[in-house]
Amino acid sequence: MKRQDAIVEWVSQKRKVSVNELADHFQVSKVTIRKDLDRLEERGILSRQHGYAVVSSSADMNYRLAVNYDLKHRIAKRAATAIHDGDTVMIESGGTCALLAEILAFENRDILPTRPLLLPLSASLPL
């Protein structure tokens, strides 16, 4: 996951990065980068276009999630440690909150999204 986080940070800074450039930068094969990009695209964080990883427009939720992704992910992980089994937590909209919901879901915590923003995210998470 660390490499994927770094990919998101790098692509969000450059806005568009080729698969070749990513493979060279991270010193892994193009196949490995493509797999990482597939996972990131499935999660709605980045998009792929003809050999490139791109971040959408600044009005797009995916773009807002990609900007400072590593920091948002660390905040979400820290917040998740404060939530215990049986707790009821209201999670507002936003990139960090979406990451918190994702972390809780992957930890097999029960979440019930009530805002349309989280519905696409929750559809891709394990039950």
Side-chain angles (χ1 to χ4, degrees):
M1 190 75 149
K2 293 279 186 202
R3 184 179 55 248
Q4 290 179 13
D5 293 345
I7 289 170
V8 170
E9 281 296 313
W10 207 43
V11 173
S12 68
Q13 291 170 6
K14 292 185 161 241
R15 305 269 305 149
K16 182 177 182 179
V17 182
S18 74
V19 170
N20 291 339
E21 206 176 339
L22 288 166
D24 289 344
H25 181 76
F26 292 102
Q27 298 180 341
V28 295
S29 72
K30 291 181 231 175
V31 171
T32 299
I33 289 295
R34 286 188 191 102
K35 287 179 183 179
D36 286 339
L37 294 177
D38 286 343
R39 288 184 190 107
L40 292 168
E41 188 173 41
E42 285 171 7
R43 292 174 55 207
I45 296 172
L46 297 176
S47 299
R48 291 182 58 190
Q49 296 178 348
H50 308 291
Y52 289 89
V54 297
V55 177
S56 304
S57 75
S58 60
D60 188 318
M61 173 62 183
N62 295 338
Y63 173 79
R64 293 191 313 248
L65 183 61
V67 172
N68 295 317
Y69 178 83
D70 187 49
L71 176 62
K72 291 175 185 178
H73 194 258
R74 286 193 317 248
I75 292 168
K77 282 174 70 172
R78 179 73 184 260
T81 65
I83 300 169
H84 306 288
D85 288 340
D87 286 351
T88 300
V89 180
M90 181 176 178
I91 300 175
E92 289 290 329
S93 63
T96 306
C97 294
L99 289 171
L100 173 60
E102 180 181 53
I103 289 167
L104 293 175
F106 279 115
E107 290 178 353
N108 292 319
R109 309 268 193 104
D110 293 329
I111 64 166
L112 176 62
T114 58
R115 299 190 139 236
L117 175 66
L118 295 179
L119 292 177
L121 173 66
S122 64
S124 66
L125 299 176
L127 295 178

Short mmCIF file of all heavy atoms in Angstrom, two decimals, residues 27-85:
data_model
loop_
_atom_site.label_atom_id
_atom_site.label_comp_id
_atom_site.label_asym_id
_atom_site.label_seq_id
_atom_site.Cartn_x
_atom_site.Cartn_y
_atom_site.Cartn_z
N GLN A 27 11.07 2.12 -9.51
CA GLN A 27 11.97 0.99 -9.77
C GLN A 27 11.25 -0.35 -9.67
O GLN A 27 11.71 -1.29 -9.00
CB GLN A 27 13.18 1.04 -8.84
CG GLN A 27 14.02 2.28 -9.05
CD GLN A 27 15.22 2.35 -8.14
OE1 GLN A 27 15.29 1.68 -7.11
NE2 GLN A 27 16.18 3.17 -8.53
N VAL A 28 10.10 -0.42 -10.35
CA VAL A 28 9.34 -1.65 -10.47
C VAL A 28 8.95 -1.81 -11.94
O VAL A 28 9.11 -0.90 -12.74
CB VAL A 28 8.07 -1.66 -9.57
CG1 VAL A 28 8.47 -1.62 -8.09
CG2 VAL A 28 7.15 -0.51 -9.91
N SER A 29 8.40 -2.96 -12.27
CA SER A 29 8.02 -3.20 -13.66
C SER A 29 6.76 -2.41 -14.03
O SER A 29 5.99 -1.99 -13.17
CB SER A 29 7.76 -4.69 -13.89
OG SER A 29 6.56 -5.07 -13.25
N LYS A 30 6.57 -2.24 -15.32
CA LYS A 30 5.35 -1.58 -15.82
C LYS A 30 4.11 -2.39 -15.45
O LYS A 30 3.06 -1.82 -15.17
CB LYS A 30 5.44 -1.38 -17.33
CG LYS A 30 6.47 -0.37 -17.75
CD LYS A 30 6.49 -0.21 -19.25
CE LYS A 30 7.92 -0.35 -19.72
NZ LYS A 30 8.07 -0.34 -21.14
N VAL A 31 4.25 -3.71 -15.43
CA VAL A 31 3.13 -4.57 -15.04
C VAL A 31 2.72 -4.27 -13.60
O VAL A 31 1.53 -4.15 -13.29
CB VAL A 31 3.50 -6.06 -15.21
CG1 VAL A 31 2.44 -6.97 -14.63
CG2 VAL A 31 3.73 -6.39 -16.68
N THR A 32 3.70 -4.13 -12.72
CA THR A 32 3.41 -3.81 -11.32
C THR A 32 2.72 -2.47 -11.20
O THR A 32 1.73 -2.32 -10.46
CB THR A 32 4.72 -3.83 -10.49
OG1 THR A 32 5.28 -5.14 -10.56
CG2 THR A 32 4.47 -3.45 -9.05
N ILE A 33 3.21 -1.47 -11.93
CA ILE A 33 2.58 -0.14 -11.91
C ILE A 33 1.16 -0.22 -12.44
O ILE A 33 0.24 0.37 -11.85
CB ILE A 33 3.41 0.88 -12.73
CG1 ILE A 33 4.72 1.20 -12.01
CG2 ILE A 33 2.61 2.14 -13.02
CD1 ILE A 33 4.57 1.91 -10.67
N ARG A 34 0.95 -0.96 -13.52
CA ARG A 34 -0.41 -1.08 -14.07
C ARG A 34 -1.36 -1.72 -13.05
O ARG A 34 -2.51 -1.32 -12.91
CB ARG A 34 -0.39 -1.88 -15.36
CG ARG A 34 0.16 -1.09 -16.54
CD ARG A 34 -0.01 -1.85 -17.86
NE ARG A 34 0.74 -1.20 -18.90
CZ ARG A 34 1.91 -1.60 -19.37
NH1 ARG A 34 2.48 -2.70 -18.91
NH2 ARG A 34 2.52 -0.94 -20.33
N LYS A 35 -0.87 -2.72 -12.33
CA LYS A 35 -1.70 -3.35 -11.29
C LYS A 35 -2.03 -2.35 -10.19
O LYS A 35 -3.16 -2.29 -9.71
CB LYS A 35 -0.99 -4.58 -10.70
CG LYS A 35 -0.97 -5.77 -11.62
CD LYS A 35 -0.23 -6.94 -10.99
CE LYS A 35 -0.14 -8.10 -11.95
NZ LYS A 35 0.61 -9.24 -11.35
N ASP A 36 -1.03 -1.57 -9.78
CA ASP A 36 -1.27 -0.54 -8.77
C ASP A 36 -2.30 0.47 -9.28
O ASP A 36 -3.22 0.85 -8.55
CB ASP A 36 0.03 0.21 -8.42
CG ASP A 36 0.98 -0.61 -7.57
OD1 ASP A 36 0.54 -1.58 -6.91
OD2 ASP A 36 2.18 -0.27 -7.55
N LEU A 37 -2.15 0.90 -10.52
CA LEU A 37 -3.07 1.88 -11.09
C LEU A 37 -4.48 1.30 -11.22
O LEU A 37 -5.47 2.01 -10.99
CB LEU A 37 -2.56 2.38 -12.45
CG LEU A 37 -1.26 3.19 -12.41
CD1 LEU A 37 -0.83 3.58 -13.82
CD2 LEU A 37 -1.42 4.43 -11.53
N ASP A 38 -4.56 0.02 -11.56
CA ASP A 38 -5.88 -0.64 -11.62
C ASP A 38 -6.57 -0.59 -10.26
O ASP A 38 -7.76 -0.26 -10.16
CB ASP A 38 -5.76 -2.09 -12.07
CG ASP A 38 -5.47 -2.24 -13.56
OD1 ASP A 38 -5.67 -1.27 -14.31
OD2 ASP A 38 -5.03 -3.35 -13.96
N ARG A 39 -5.82 -0.89 -9.21
CA ARG A 39 -6.39 -0.87 -7.86
C ARG A 39 -6.82 0.54 -7.46
O ARG A 39 -7.88 0.74 -6.87
CB ARG A 39 -5.39 -1.42 -6.84
CG ARG A 39 -5.21 -2.92 -6.97
CD ARG A 39 -4.29 -3.46 -5.89
NE ARG A 39 -3.96 -4.85 -6.18
CZ ARG A 39 -2.77 -5.26 -6.61
NH1 ARG A 39 -1.79 -4.41 -6.76
NH2 ARG A 39 -2.56 -6.52 -6.87
N LEU A 40 -5.97 1.52 -7.78
CA LEU A 40 -6.29 2.91 -7.45
C LEU A 40 -7.49 3.41 -8.25
O LEU A 40 -8.32 4.16 -7.74
CB LEU A 40 -5.08 3.79 -7.68
CG LEU A 40 -3.91 3.56 -6.71
CD1 LEU A 40 -2.65 4.25 -7.19
CD2 LEU A 40 -4.29 4.00 -5.31
N GLU A 41 -7.59 2.96 -9.49
CA GLU A 41 -8.74 3.36 -10.32
C GLU A 41 -10.02 2.70 -9.80
O GLU A 41 -11.07 3.34 -9.75
CB GLU A 41 -8.49 3.00 -11.78
CG GLU A 41 -9.57 3.56 -12.70
CD GLU A 41 -9.23 3.35 -14.17
OE1 GLU A 41 -8.73 2.26 -14.53
OE2 GLU A 41 -9.47 4.28 -14.95
N GLU A 42 -9.93 1.43 -9.39
CA GLU A 42 -11.09 0.74 -8.82
C GLU A 42 -11.61 1.45 -7.58
O GLU A 42 -12.81 1.49 -7.34
CB GLU A 42 -10.73 -0.71 -8.46
CG GLU A 42 -10.61 -1.63 -9.64
CD GLU A 42 -10.03 -3.00 -9.24
OE1 GLU A 42 -9.86 -3.27 -8.03
OE2 GLU A 42 -9.74 -3.79 -10.15
N ARG A 43 -10.69 2.01 -6.81
CA ARG A 43 -11.07 2.74 -5.60
C ARG A 43 -11.52 4.16 -5.92
O ARG A 43 -11.93 4.89 -5.02
CB ARG A 43 -9.89 2.77 -4.63
CG ARG A 43 -9.58 1.38 -4.07
CD ARG A 43 -8.34 1.34 -3.23
NE ARG A 43 -8.38 2.29 -2.15
CZ ARG A 43 -7.29 2.83 -1.59
NH1 ARG A 43 -6.09 2.51 -2.03
NH2 ARG A 43 -7.40 3.68 -0.60
N GLY A 44 -11.39 4.57 -7.18
CA GLY A 44 -11.85 5.89 -7.58
C GLY A 44 -10.89 7.01 -7.24
O GLY A 44 -11.27 8.18 -7.23
N ILE A 45 -9.62 6.67 -7.00
CA ILE A 45 -8.66 7.69 -6.59
C ILE A 45 -7.99 8.33 -7.79
O ILE A 45 -7.81 9.54 -7.83
CB ILE A 45 -7.63 7.08 -5.63
CG1 ILE A 45 -8.35 6.63 -4.35
CG2 ILE A 45 -6.53 8.08 -5.31
CD1 ILE A 45 -7.49 5.85 -3.41
N LEU A 46 -7.60 7.53 -8.78
CA LEU A 46 -6.97 8.02 -10.00
C LEU A 46 -7.70 7.46 -11.21
O LEU A 46 -8.45 6.50 -11.09
CB LEU A 46 -5.50 7.58 -10.08
CG LEU A 46 -4.54 8.07 -9.02
CD1 LEU A 46 -3.17 7.44 -9.23
CD2 LEU A 46 -4.42 9.58 -9.05
N SER A 47 -7.44 8.06 -12.36
CA SER A 47 -7.96 7.54 -13.62
C SER A 47 -6.79 7.19 -14.52
O SER A 47 -5.70 7.73 -14.37
CB SER A 47 -8.83 8.59 -14.31
OG SER A 47 -9.92 8.92 -13.51
N ARG A 48 -7.06 6.27 -15.45
CA ARG A 48 -6.02 5.92 -16.43
C ARG A 48 -6.47 6.35 -17.81
O ARG A 48 -7.64 6.22 -18.16
CB ARG A 48 -5.79 4.41 -16.41
CG ARG A 48 -5.13 3.97 -15.12
CD ARG A 48 -4.83 2.51 -15.09
NE ARG A 48 -3.97 2.14 -16.22
CZ ARG A 48 -3.73 0.89 -16.54
NH1 ARG A 48 -4.25 -0.09 -15.87
NH2 ARG A 48 -2.94 0.61 -17.55
N GLN A 49 -5.52 6.87 -18.57
CA GLN A 49 -5.78 7.28 -19.95
C GLN A 49 -4.58 6.92 -20.81
O GLN A 49 -3.51 7.49 -20.65
CB GLN A 49 -6.01 8.79 -20.04
CG GLN A 49 -7.21 9.31 -19.33
CD GLN A 49 -7.32 10.82 -19.43
OE1 GLN A 49 -6.39 11.49 -19.85
NE2 GLN A 49 -8.45 11.34 -19.03
N HIS A 50 -4.75 5.97 -21.70
CA HIS A 50 -3.74 5.63 -22.71
C HIS A 50 -2.30 5.68 -22.21
O HIS A 50 -1.49 6.47 -22.67
CB HIS A 50 -3.89 6.55 -23.93
CG HIS A 50 -5.26 6.59 -24.47
ND1 HIS A 50 -5.85 5.52 -25.11
CD2 HIS A 50 -6.20 7.56 -24.44
CE1 HIS A 50 -7.08 5.85 -25.46
NE2 HIS A 50 -7.33 7.06 -25.07
N GLY A 51 -1.99 4.86 -21.22
CA GLY A 51 -0.63 4.77 -20.72
C GLY A 51 -0.26 5.81 -19.69
O GLY A 51 0.92 5.94 -19.33
N TYR A 52 -1.23 6.56 -19.20
CA TYR A 52 -0.98 7.59 -18.21
C TYR A 52 -1.90 7.41 -17.00
O TYR A 52 -3.01 6.90 -17.13
CB TYR A 52 -1.24 8.99 -18.79
CG TYR A 52 -0.23 9.43 -19.80
CD1 TYR A 52 -0.38 9.13 -21.14
CD2 TYR A 52 0.90 10.14 -19.40
CE1 TYR A 52 0.55 9.54 -22.07
CE2 TYR A 52 1.84 10.55 -20.33
CZ TYR A 52 1.66 10.25 -21.66
OH TYR A 52 2.60 10.65 -22.57
N ALA A 53 -1.43 7.89 -15.86
CA ALA A 53 -2.28 8.03 -14.69
C ALA A 53 -2.58 9.52 -14.57
O ALA A 53 -1.68 10.35 -14.71
CB ALA A 53 -1.55 7.56 -13.44
N VAL A 54 -3.84 9.85 -14.36
CA VAL A 54 -4.23 11.26 -14.29
C VAL A 54 -5.14 11.50 -13.09
O VAL A 54 -5.80 10.60 -12.59
CB VAL A 54 -4.95 11.73 -15.58
CG1 VAL A 54 -4.05 11.65 -16.77
CG2 VAL A 54 -6.22 10.94 -15.81
N VAL A 55 -5.15 12.75 -12.68
CA VAL A 55 -6.07 13.21 -11.65
C VAL A 55 -7.10 14.07 -12.34
O VAL A 55 -6.77 14.88 -13.21
CB VAL A 55 -5.31 14.02 -10.58
CG1 VAL A 55 -6.27 14.56 -9.53
CG2 VAL A 55 -4.26 13.16 -9.92
N SER A 56 -8.34 13.90 -11.96
CA SER A 56 -9.42 14.64 -12.59
C SER A 56 -9.40 16.11 -12.19
O SER A 56 -8.55 16.55 -11.44
CB SER A 56 -10.76 14.01 -12.20
OG SER A 56 -10.77 12.65 -12.54
N SER A 57 -10.39 16.85 -12.65
CA SER A 57 -10.47 18.28 -12.37
C SER A 57 -10.59 18.54 -10.88
O SER A 57 -11.01 17.68 -10.11
CB SER A 57 -11.65 18.91 -13.10
OG SER A 57 -12.85 18.56 -12.44
N SER A 58 -10.27 19.74 -10.46
CA SER A 58 -10.30 20.08 -9.04
C SER A 58 -11.70 20.04 -8.45
O SER A 58 -11.87 19.99 -7.24
CB SER A 58 -9.68 21.45 -8.81
OG SER A 58 -10.39 22.44 -9.50
N ALA A 59 -12.73 20.04 -9.28
CA ALA A 59 -14.10 19.95 -8.79
C ALA A 59 -14.49 18.49 -8.52
O ALA A 59 -15.48 18.23 -7.86
CB ALA A 59 -15.07 20.55 -9.81
N ASP A 60 -13.70 17.57 -9.00
CA ASP A 60 -13.98 16.14 -8.87
C ASP A 60 -13.56 15.64 -7.49
O ASP A 60 -12.48 15.96 -6.99
CB ASP A 60 -13.20 15.40 -9.97
CG ASP A 60 -13.55 13.94 -10.06
OD1 ASP A 60 -13.69 13.28 -9.02
OD2 ASP A 60 -13.66 13.44 -11.19
N MET A 61 -14.38 14.81 -6.88
CA MET A 61 -14.06 14.23 -5.56
C MET A 61 -12.76 13.44 -5.62
O MET A 61 -11.97 13.46 -4.68
CB MET A 61 -15.22 13.35 -5.10
CG MET A 61 -14.96 12.58 -3.84
SD MET A 61 -14.64 13.65 -2.43
CE MET A 61 -14.28 12.45 -1.19
N ASN A 62 -12.52 12.74 -6.72
CA ASN A 62 -11.30 11.95 -6.84
C ASN A 62 -10.06 12.85 -6.77
O ASN A 62 -9.06 12.48 -6.17
CB ASN A 62 -11.28 11.16 -8.14
CG ASN A 62 -12.36 10.12 -8.17
OD1 ASN A 62 -12.86 9.70 -7.14
ND2 ASN A 62 -12.75 9.72 -9.36
N TYR A 63 -10.16 14.02 -7.39
CA TYR A 63 -9.03 14.96 -7.34
C TYR A 63 -8.81 15.42 -5.90
O TYR A 63 -7.70 15.43 -5.40
CB TYR A 63 -9.28 16.16 -8.25
CG TYR A 63 -8.23 17.23 -8.09
CD1 TYR A 63 -6.99 17.09 -8.71
CD2 TYR A 63 -8.46 18.35 -7.31
CE1 TYR A 63 -6.01 18.05 -8.56
CE2 TYR A 63 -7.49 19.31 -7.15
CZ TYR A 63 -6.26 19.16 -7.78
OH TYR A 63 -5.29 20.11 -7.62
N ARG A 64 -9.89 15.81 -5.23
CA ARG A 64 -9.77 16.30 -3.86
C ARG A 64 -9.21 15.20 -2.95
O ARG A 64 -8.47 15.48 -2.02
CB ARG A 64 -11.11 16.82 -3.35
CG ARG A 64 -11.55 18.08 -4.09
CD ARG A 64 -12.73 18.73 -3.43
NE ARG A 64 -13.78 17.79 -3.09
CZ ARG A 64 -14.96 17.75 -3.65
NH1 ARG A 64 -15.27 18.59 -4.60
NH2 ARG A 64 -15.86 16.87 -3.27
N LEU A 65 -9.58 13.97 -3.22
CA LEU A 65 -9.05 12.86 -2.44
C LEU A 65 -7.56 12.66 -2.71
O LEU A 65 -6.79 12.37 -1.80
CB LEU A 65 -9.82 11.57 -2.76
CG LEU A 65 -9.45 10.34 -1.97
CD1 LEU A 65 -9.71 10.55 -0.49
CD2 LEU A 65 -10.24 9.14 -2.47
N ALA A 66 -7.16 12.85 -3.95
CA ALA A 66 -5.76 12.62 -4.33
C ALA A 66 -4.82 13.68 -3.78
O ALA A 66 -3.67 13.39 -3.47
CB ALA A 66 -5.64 12.55 -5.85
N VAL A 67 -5.30 14.91 -3.63
CA VAL A 67 -4.45 15.99 -3.11
C VAL A 67 -4.16 15.71 -1.64
O VAL A 67 -5.07 15.51 -0.84
CB VAL A 67 -5.14 17.36 -3.30
CG1 VAL A 67 -4.35 18.45 -2.60
CG2 VAL A 67 -5.30 17.67 -4.76
N ASN A 68 -2.89 15.67 -1.30
CA ASN A 68 -2.44 15.37 0.07
C ASN A 68 -2.97 14.02 0.56
O ASN A 68 -3.29 13.85 1.74
CB ASN A 68 -2.85 16.48 1.04
CG ASN A 68 -2.18 17.78 0.73
OD1 ASN A 68 -0.99 17.82 0.43
ND2 ASN A 68 -2.93 18.87 0.77
N TYR A 69 -3.02 13.06 -0.35
CA TYR A 69 -3.58 11.74 -0.03
C TYR A 69 -2.88 11.12 1.18
O TYR A 69 -3.54 10.59 2.08
CB TYR A 69 -3.48 10.82 -1.25
CG TYR A 69 -3.99 9.43 -0.96
CD1 TYR A 69 -5.35 9.15 -1.02
CD2 TYR A 69 -3.13 8.40 -0.60
CE1 TYR A 69 -5.84 7.90 -0.74
CE2 TYR A 69 -3.61 7.14 -0.32
CZ TYR A 69 -4.95 6.89 -0.40
OH TYR A 69 -5.43 5.64 -0.11
N ASP A 70 -1.57 11.15 1.21
CA ASP A 70 -0.83 10.50 2.29
C ASP A 70 -1.22 11.09 3.65
O ASP A 70 -1.47 10.36 4.61
CB ASP A 70 0.67 10.63 2.06
CG ASP A 70 1.48 9.83 3.06
OD1 ASP A 70 1.17 8.64 3.25
OD2 ASP A 70 2.42 10.39 3.65
N LEU A 71 -1.29 12.41 3.73
CA LEU A 71 -1.69 13.07 4.97
C LEU A 71 -3.12 12.70 5.36
O LEU A 71 -3.39 12.36 6.52
CB LEU A 71 -1.56 14.59 4.82
CG LEU A 71 -2.04 15.42 6.01
CD1 LEU A 71 -1.21 15.10 7.25
CD2 LEU A 71 -1.96 16.90 5.68
N LYS A 72 -4.03 12.73 4.40
CA LYS A 72 -5.42 12.37 4.67
C LYS A 72 -5.54 10.92 5.14
O LYS A 72 -6.30 10.61 6.06
CB LYS A 72 -6.29 12.60 3.43
CG LYS A 72 -6.45 14.06 3.09
CD LYS A 72 -7.20 14.23 1.79
CE LYS A 72 -7.24 15.69 1.40
NZ LYS A 72 -7.91 15.92 0.13
N HIS A 73 -4.77 10.05 4.53
CA HIS A 73 -4.80 8.64 4.90
C HIS A 73 -4.27 8.45 6.32
O HIS A 73 -4.83 7.67 7.11
CB HIS A 73 -4.00 7.81 3.90
CG HIS A 73 -4.23 6.35 4.01
ND1 HIS A 73 -3.35 5.51 4.63
CD2 HIS A 73 -5.28 5.57 3.62
CE1 HIS A 73 -3.82 4.28 4.61
NE2 HIS A 73 -4.99 4.29 4.01
N ARG A 74 -3.19 9.14 6.67
CA ARG A 74 -2.65 9.05 8.03
C ARG A 74 -3.65 9.57 9.07
O ARG A 74 -3.80 8.99 10.14
CB ARG A 74 -1.33 9.81 8.14
CG ARG A 74 -0.17 9.10 7.47
CD ARG A 74 1.17 9.70 7.86
NE ARG A 74 1.14 11.16 7.87
CZ ARG A 74 1.79 11.93 7.02
NH1 ARG A 74 2.54 11.40 6.08
NH2 ARG A 74 1.72 13.24 7.11
N ILE A 75 -4.32 10.67 8.76
CA ILE A 75 -5.33 11.22 9.66
C ILE A 75 -6.46 10.22 9.84
O ILE A 75 -6.92 9.97 10.97
CB ILE A 75 -5.87 12.58 9.14
CG1 ILE A 75 -4.77 13.64 9.22
CG2 ILE A 75 -7.11 13.00 9.91
CD1 ILE A 75 -5.10 14.93 8.47
N ALA A 76 -6.92 9.64 8.73
CA ALA A 76 -8.02 8.67 8.80
C ALA A 76 -7.62 7.44 9.61
O ALA A 76 -8.41 6.93 10.42
CB ALA A 76 -8.45 8.27 7.39
N LYS A 77 -6.39 6.95 9.42
CA LYS A 77 -5.92 5.80 10.19
C LYS A 77 -5.87 6.12 11.69
O LYS A 77 -6.26 5.32 12.52
CB LYS A 77 -4.53 5.36 9.70
CG LYS A 77 -4.57 4.57 8.42
CD LYS A 77 -3.21 4.26 7.88
CE LYS A 77 -2.48 3.25 8.72
NZ LYS A 77 -1.21 2.81 8.08
N ARG A 78 -5.41 7.32 12.00
CA ARG A 78 -5.34 7.73 13.41
C ARG A 78 -6.75 7.85 14.00
O ARG A 78 -7.00 7.40 15.12
CB ARG A 78 -4.60 9.06 13.51
CG ARG A 78 -4.47 9.62 14.89
CD ARG A 78 -3.44 8.80 15.70
NE ARG A 78 -3.36 9.25 17.06
CZ ARG A 78 -2.43 10.06 17.53
NH1 ARG A 78 -1.48 10.50 16.74
NH2 ARG A 78 -2.44 10.41 18.79
N ALA A 79 -7.67 8.42 13.24
CA ALA A 79 -9.06 8.55 13.71
C ALA A 79 -9.68 7.18 13.92
O ALA A 79 -10.44 6.98 14.88
CB ALA A 79 -9.87 9.36 12.71
N ALA A 80 -9.37 6.23 13.07
CA ALA A 80 -9.94 4.88 13.18
C ALA A 80 -9.53 4.21 14.49
O ALA A 80 -10.29 3.42 15.04
CB ALA A 80 -9.52 4.03 11.99
N THR A 81 -8.35 4.55 14.99
CA THR A 81 -7.90 3.94 16.26
C THR A 81 -8.72 4.44 17.45
O THR A 81 -8.74 3.79 18.49
CB THR A 81 -6.41 4.22 16.54
OG1 THR A 81 -6.20 5.62 16.73
CG2 THR A 81 -5.53 3.69 15.40
N ALA A 82 -9.39 5.57 17.30
CA ALA A 82 -10.21 6.12 18.39
C ALA A 82 -11.63 5.57 18.38
O ALA A 82 -12.40 5.84 19.28
CB ALA A 82 -10.24 7.64 18.29
N ILE A 83 -11.96 4.81 17.35
CA ILE A 83 -13.31 4.25 17.22
C ILE A 83 -13.26 2.79 17.64
O ILE A 83 -12.48 2.01 17.10
CB ILE A 83 -13.82 4.41 15.77
CG1 ILE A 83 -13.86 5.89 15.39
CG2 ILE A 83 -15.19 3.76 15.62
CD1 ILE A 83 -14.10 6.15 13.92
N HIS A 84 -14.11 2.44 18.58
CA HIS A 84 -14.12 1.09 19.14
C HIS A 84 -15.40 0.36 18.74
O HIS A 84 -16.40 0.99 18.39
CB HIS A 84 -13.99 1.16 20.66
CG HIS A 84 -12.79 1.94 21.10
ND1 HIS A 84 -11.51 1.46 20.97
CD2 HIS A 84 -12.68 3.18 21.62
CE1 HIS A 84 -10.66 2.36 21.40
NE2 HIS A 84 -11.34 3.42 21.81
N ASP A 85 -15.35 -0.97 18.80
CA ASP A 85 -16.53 -1.77 18.49
C ASP A 85 -17.71 -1.28 19.32
O ASP A 85 -17.58 -1.03 20.53
CB ASP A 85 -16.28 -3.25 18.79
CG ASP A 85 -15.32 -3.87 17.78
OD1 ASP A 85 -15.16 -3.30 16.68
OD2 ASP A 85 -14.74 -4.92 18.08
#
